[in-house]
Each structure stands twice: as C-alpha cells, then as structure tokens.
Amino acid sequence: MESKNPPVHHGPWLVTAFQTKAREDAERELVQSIRELRARILFDHGRRPAFRDSAGAHVDDQDLDYGAWHFVARREPEGPPVGYVRLSTPQSGETFQSLSYLGAERYGEVLREHGFGPGEVFEHSRLVVEHHARKLGLGVYLNAMAIGAAQYLGAKAMIGTSGTADGQDRFHHRFGFRPVDGTRRYVEQYTEDVVVLLYQARDGAGQYTALVDELQGTFPSIITPPRQVRLSARRPHHAHPPAALAAHRAADEGVWQPVLYQPADDGGYSALAALLGSGQVAEVCDTIDTQLTELVTSRQPERRFAPDELRTALDEQLAGRATWEYGAWAWYPWARRLVHVLPREEFRLVRTDRNRGRIDRREQRDLFTRRIGIIGLSVGSSAALTFAMEGIGGAYRLADFDELSLSNLNRLRAGAHELGLNKSVIAARQMLEIDPYLDIEIFPAGLTDETMEDFFRGGSGSDRSGAIDLLVEECDAPYVKFAARERARALGIPVVMDANDRGLLDVERFDLEPERPLLHGLLGETTSEDLRHLTFAQKVDAILTMVDRDRISPELAAAIPQIGATLSSWPQLASGVALGGALTAHAARRILLGSECPSGRYYTDFDTLISAERSTVA
C-alpha cells in the first residue's frame, strides 16, 4: 500500500499519510514527534493544562498511535506541520478513545444499536490545527481526508469523541456525524464537555460528501513510508531579505495630490521637461487625441462627422497648438504615472457627458461648485468615489484617522499594495485619478475637537465661503457622530448617512429645519459630551440606538452578541457598501439641486425587494 508519489496539494495544503505499525526506534521517534505536535496545539497556551507536564514538556502519550494512520498537513514540502488528524483501524479497536470513554459494555451496545460489528468501525481523533492556519479550510480538508481514507480502507462507520466548547461537535455534524444519546459529560483533561459522535458511511458526509468522495480516491497517492517522514522543517532560512528588497522604500505615504503641468506656459514646459528627465516617470499615458475627438463630437451629438470634417474641427479646437501642449499633464507621484488630460472645463464636459438626460449641464456646473465633507472612509469611501464619478462636488474634505488593513479589503475599493495607508489618503488618490482638477483636503487624524472648525468652515472664521455644503457621516464613534451633527445643525448643513444594514439611508435637513432633533430624536436629550467616554459595550448600545435596534436585520442582530467572541468586528459586505455609495449620492444630488429630499429614514432592503411577490413579471 506504500506509494512514492508526491503528496497531494489541495488549495494551499500539502498532506502526507503514513501508518505506524512497530515500536522500533525509528518509528518510536516519529510517534514521539507526533505526540509533541498534538500536545502543544492542544495545550493552547494553558487552556488545557493536562497536555504539559511539570517539567514543561508537551505530552500526549496514547497506545493507539501505533497501528493508526497519521495525516500531516504542511504549506510547502519542507515546511513545518500546521495540522494533523489520526485514523485508527479496527485492528487496534481495543485502544479506541471512544471505547475507553464509554466502557466496553456501552460501546458494544452503541455498535449493535446501529447494526455494526467491531470490524466495520474506524475511529478518527486528535484533529488539531495550528492557530496561524485556522479559518483557512485546513480542518475541513483533514477531516474529509480521514473520512475518505476510512472508506477506502473499508469502513462502514466511524466513531469518535468530540469537544463542545468551540463548536467542534457542530463542525463534525456538517460531515454527517451525529451525537450518541446519553454520552455527553465533562472531561477534566479537556476542560469541557465531551460527546461521542457516530458516522455511517451509507448516509454520506453531509455537505462535504463530494470532497470526501474526491479524497477517498486521492488517499493512495499520499501514502508515505514512515521512514521517509520528517516532521521538522527543512526549508532554508534566510536571516535577511534580498538586498534590493531591503533597499526599497515605498512612496511617501502622505502624498495624495497630483501635480499639474501646463506645457503651453514657459514655466510649465520647463518643469515638465525636468520631470521627464529625472527618471521618476515609469509610465506616460497620452490619449489626448481620443479625448479631443470626444470633446468635439459630444458638443454636436446630432452631427455625424466625416473624417475630413472631424480633422477640421480638431484643428479648430487646437487653434494652432500641438496636441502635446494642449491641456495639462497630471503627474501622480505615488504611481509614477504621467497622464495627459484636457483643460479642466473641457475635461469635465466630456467626463460627465453621459450624465446628461439625468443631470443636465447647468445642474452639473452647479454641482461642481459644491463642497462635500465626508467623515469615515471605510463605508464612506464608496460615497466619495461615487460622488467623484458622478460629479457631485468639485471640492471635498475627507476625514479618517484609520489605516487600511487586510480585513478592510472585503468592502473597500483598494489594493494590497495600499495596506497601511491612511484611508483618507487612499480615497483622495482614487478620486483625483478620476478627476485631477478636484480640490481635496484631507484630515488624516480624523475629526477631532481641534479640527472640527477647519473641517466644517475651512478655518476662515466668520467667513463661510469655505464651508461645506453637505456632510456625509459614516464613522463608527458615537461621540464623533453626535458632535458632527451638532456642528452641522448649528451651521445649517444637511447630513446624509448610510447605515450599511438593510439599505438604510438617513437624511437630516438641518438647512431647512435648524431645530430638528439630532438623529430624529432617537437618543432624546443626549449630547456629544454624554458620549465622549464610553466602554465598548456602551458604544455598541449607542450605535444600536442610533440605527434603531428594532429595525436592524436578523443577521446583524445575531452577529452583535458575537462581536469580540467569534467575530472580530461589525460584519459588513462590499455589496452593502456599494449600495450606500449609491444611496448617499442620490440623496446628496437631490438636496444640492433643490429637489425633494425630506428628512427621514428610508430602506432599500434587498431581502424584501427581491421576493416573488415583488416581481413585476409572472
């Protein structure tokens, strides 16, 4: 049954299988390494103290290690083990954990009640995964491999004991294992309740039946002779990164504004020539010919230009200038990219041409004169980009203290190369890559008592020429949410918010209702000062009150008690964030153009809208 085929990869995992039969020195050393691996993971930083002895060694000595199949998972061939599971055959049935747990009489009764003889039942046990490899599917794969191997070897049933504290029993339930009545009890060694589970091959492996069937066929190809197995890592270790990598430095993390060069001006020409000669430019994007063509044709959509007519119209537009000196060259230092664009008004005319029919040119020009403030650039990043694309605002103030982390990439439009950058910097860069003529200020320390006035009024004292015209509020801090609304109400600035649950759009028209209660009065007479120093639990309670806890989705209601336990933070999806960008943009456009958009709360709940009774066709 031995095979010299290479171990099989499944996703990021490489698994080998071997059976220990003898107690020779070589196999005894291998078994001891397996036991130490298991015990260290099971010890779990002191959670199960029975797996470390008084001398500090990790111990898990069990006789059933001999005669059992062992499955070891790695990330790469010479890497350290990251997961393990054991499969015991009927030949060593007298050492089964479940037999010891139940006692011989009860164990026999369980098998007879389900119609199995001792020779048809295998036991799998000791499924362990390193902390750094969890939540990546390795436990599922190892469990499925053990079941598939058992069925390949002729198992009609599988039995085993399972802990319950972390939902291990529920995990096995998804594979078709079912609890045996009356077998659950507390076990001191594991510091939790343990239950006996039984699997019947004829019933299939639940939601993992297809995977088990696949791995049943794979099993022979991963078998390795024990003498060839090494559990210690043998990959080369390099103490230092390659010299070129160590010497590399990322672009200035605080850079977010492009530099515009006007080559028609003497100063602009010299500066552009110096930039191109500096070696900094990695990419030049010059599509000015097609931009000019779009400009000419968009002004006269009813006309079909013949080639010579189009050439004449382009020459008239250029008015004697060469194409390379027309418009501006936008230098994006963070991308080392130089982009040729039309002059500002012409660029915006063409860029928003497809808005017409929904937003006419007069309205578009009006929108470009407005200044928008956005607080919170996680959910708010979708609003920022949607506003920029649609041309809702020509000037922006963006506030967020937070940096982009890997877990943000499930909902933020950003790349792995931007991890660690401030979110307001990322949003500003992306908006300016859409329109290099935007006027953007960022507040990378977030909205604080010290920056509040500058954010809302532009630091101009009683002169409100720099004040924002509308606030999009998408932050998580109750104090900031309330303090920002207090200032917006005092200045008569409308506020819109997406709650990222059930498509909730919140509108507060402080420009029309200067005495309107904050957040529609949901927090009564509460002030921002009341929310300044809250515990985590109090913050959660305040946020739930703000979004109306009786109207949140069942999924969010179920998730909230798990935050800090099984969930690291609030659950959010990219689809909900994208919807929030659309909702806030639509409301902002209506407010800024004077269309009807009253204060209130409005739901675009897809779970309600996408239902059979809502369909408009049979």
Side-chain angles (χ1 to χ4, degrees):
M1 199 174 284
E2 294 181 353
S3 169
K4 295 186 179 181
N5 292 334
V8 175
H9 279 282
H10 186 276
W13 314 116
L14 183 150
V15 177
T16 53
F18 54 93
Q19 186 179 25
T20 52
K21 297 180 180 179
R23 295 177 182 264
E24 300 170 355
D25 289 345
E27 289 200 12
R28 197 158 37 234
E29 182 179 341
L30 176 58
V31 167
Q32 184 58 33
S33 297
I34 292 169
R35 290 170 171 175
E36 290 174 359
L37 168 70
R38 292 190 319 234
R40 180 175 52 77
I41 299 174
L42 287 166
F43 179 69
D44 196 10
H45 306 288
R47 178 184 166 192
R48 301 183 185 92
F51 288 93
R52 189 167 70 176
D53 64 18
S54 58
H58 292 104
V59 291
D60 184 29
D61 296 348
Q62 293 186 313
D63 288 341
L64 72 166
D65 285 325
Y66 292 100
W69 285 94
H70 305 271
F71 299 81
V72 177
R74 295 177 169 87
R75 289 182 182 272
E76 58 272 334
E78 302 299 332
V82 292
Y84 167 88
V85 69
R86 178 177 62 200
L87 176 67
S88 301
T89 68
Q91 285 69 35
S92 57
E94 70 279 0
T95 62
F96 279 8
Q97 285 188 157
S98 47
L99 173 62
S100 175
Y101 179 86
L102 291 172
E105 183 177 352
R106 179 66 179 125
Y107 179 81
E109 289 176 357
V110 169
L111 297 195
R112 288 191 296 273
E113 287 170 3
H114 292 86
F116 297 114
E120 299 174 309
V121 180
F122 287 56
E123 181 182 72
H124 86 317
S125 55
R126 289 301 194 260
L127 173 62
V128 293
V129 175
E130 293 277 18
H131 270 282
H132 60 79
R134 293 178 186 177
K135 310 299 183 184
L136 299 175
L138 176 56
V140 167
Y141 182 65
L142 281 172
N143 215 42
M145 176 61 80
I147 298 171
Q151 293 181 174
Y152 178 88
L153 295 170
K156 298 294 179 62
M158 296 179 69
I159 197 167
T161 57
S162 172
T164 58
D166 294 329
Q168 305 99 309
D169 53 333
R170 296 192 299 274
F171 168 81
H172 291 297
H173 188 275
R174 302 203 301 269
F175 286 86
F177 282 84
R178 297 295 180 262
V180 176
D181 291 342
T183 63
R184 179 168 176 159
R185 68 172 185 269
Y186 183 80
V187 176
E188 183 67 31
Q189 182 185 16
Y190 301 105
T191 67
E192 62 183 301
D193 280 2
V194 170
V195 65
V196 173
L197 303 177
L198 185 70
Y199 168 85
Q200 302 184 57
R202 60 176 175 258
D203 295 336
Q207 68 187 73
Y208 297 112
T209 297
L211 177 60
V212 168
D213 290 345
E214 174 192 345
L215 296 183
Q216 180 174 336
T218 299
F219 171 60
S221 67
I222 68 170
I223 298 172
T224 304
R227 63 181 177 276
Q228 296 180 13
V229 177
R230 296 291 182 275
L231 293 190
S232 58
R234 291 185 294 176
R235 63 185 178 191
H237 175 70
H238 302 285
H240 305 286
L245 183 62
H248 176 74
R249 292 294 180 269
D252 187 344
E253 294 182 354
V255 174
W256 51 273
Q257 291 174 303
V259 180
L260 296 176
Y261 296 94
Q262 311 281 348
D265 301 332
D266 290 341
Y269 177 89
S270 300
L272 180 62
L275 173 67
L276 288 166
S278 70
Q280 298 180 67
V281 180
E283 181 182 4
V284 176
C285 302
D286 187 0
T287 60
I288 201 68
D289 289 334
T290 57
Q291 293 178 50
L292 283 164
T293 298
E294 279 199 276
L295 173 63
V296 168
T297 55
S298 65
R299 281 173 169 157
Q300 295 178 280
E302 75 285 352
R303 183 176 176 183
R304 296 294 180 264
F305 288 87
D308 57 335
E309 293 175 325
L310 179 59
R311 183 67 262 168
T312 298
L314 291 173
D315 289 341
E316 291 175 354
Q317 184 67 40
L318 289 167
R321 286 166 290 187
T323 54
W324 66 265
E325 63 178 337
Y326 191 85
W329 290 83
W331 164 237
Y332 296 98
W334 57 88
R336 301 179 63 196
R337 184 180 297 121
L338 185 64
V339 183
H340 196 181
V341 293
L342 292 170
R344 188 183 76 169
E345 299 309 319
E346 295 172 2
F347 179 86
R348 288 178 171 173
L349 181 75
V350 176
R351 196 182 71 75
T352 61
D353 184 61
R354 295 290 293 273
N355 285 359
R356 291 193 303 140
R358 305 298 295 272
I359 305 172
D360 66 34
R361 282 177 172 157
R362 179 193 60 79
E363 292 173 327
Q364 194 74 70
R365 287 191 295 270
D366 184 6
L367 289 172
F368 274 123
T369 67
R370 303 309 187 100
R371 189 183 304 274
I372 310 298
I374 303 177
I375 307 171
L377 275 304
S378 288
V379 174
S381 67
S382 177
L385 291 178
T386 304
F387 280 44
M389 285 188 283
E390 204 162 293
I392 303 172
Y396 296 86
R397 295 196 180 112
L398 311 178
D400 199 315
F401 68 89
D402 200 13
E403 296 176 348
L404 182 73
S405 62
L406 184 57
S407 62
N408 293 145
L409 293 185
N410 78 317
R411 61 195 186 281
L412 267 70
R413 175 62 187 91
H417 63 287
E418 294 170 302
L419 293 174
L421 290 180
N422 180 271
K423 291 175 182 177
S424 62
V425 169
I426 295 171
R429 287 180 177 182
Q430 293 177 346
M431 295 165 74
L432 286 160
E433 287 173 349
I434 294 168
D435 183 346
Y437 296 108
L438 291 173
D439 173 9
I440 299 180
E441 302 168 74
I442 67 169
F443 292 73
L447 191 67
T448 66
D449 293 340
E450 293 72 28
T451 60
M452 185 81 70
E453 195 66 19
D454 285 353
F455 182 86
F456 276 93
R457 296 169 65 103
S460 53
S462 60
D463 176 13
R464 287 194 54 198
S465 60
I468 60 174
D469 296 291
L470 180 136
L471 174 65
V472 181
E473 188 281 298
E474 297 293 353
C475 73
D476 295 330
Y479 170 74
V480 176
K481 294 174 88 69
F482 233 66
R485 281 172 171 79
E486 288 172 342
R487 196 71 188 116
R489 183 172 63 179
L491 296 172
I493 296 170
V495 180
V496 297
M497 175 187 74
D498 162 63
N500 199 237
D501 182 59
R502 295 189 61 211
L504 168 56
L505 171 69
D506 187 275
V507 179
E508 294 169 281
R509 295 300 304 271
F510 299 128
D511 54 326
L512 303 179
E513 305 167 82
E515 303 300 323
R516 184 174 184 83
L518 302 183
L519 286 164
H520 318 290
L522 287 171
L523 274 75
E525 300 300 318
T526 299
T527 69
S528 59
E529 280 303 313
D530 298 326
L531 304 172
R532 187 185 287 272
H533 304 293
L534 300 181
T535 65
F536 176 76
Q538 289 170 332
K539 288 180 180 179
V540 171
D541 184 68
I543 293 291
L544 288 176
T545 302
M546 291 178 183
V547 300
D548 193 347
R549 70 183 73 236
D550 293 332
R551 292 180 179 271
I552 62 175
S553 66
E555 294 83 2
L556 182 58
I560 288 170
Q562 298 303 316
I563 296 174
T566 62
L567 298 177
S568 57
S569 188
W570 301 87
Q572 296 176 315
L573 297 177
S575 53
V577 172
L579 175 62
L583 294 172
T584 52
H586 186 84
R589 186 177 72 244
R590 294 180 66 84
I591 291 170
L592 296 172
L593 293 178
S595 301
E596 182 181 6
C597 189
S599 296
R601 288 201 157 169
Y602 310 94
Y603 289 87
T604 307
D605 186 353
F606 286 147
D607 286 340
T608 299
L609 295 176
I610 304 175
S611 57
E613 59 270 18
R614 292 271 186 162
S615 174
T616 61
V617 296

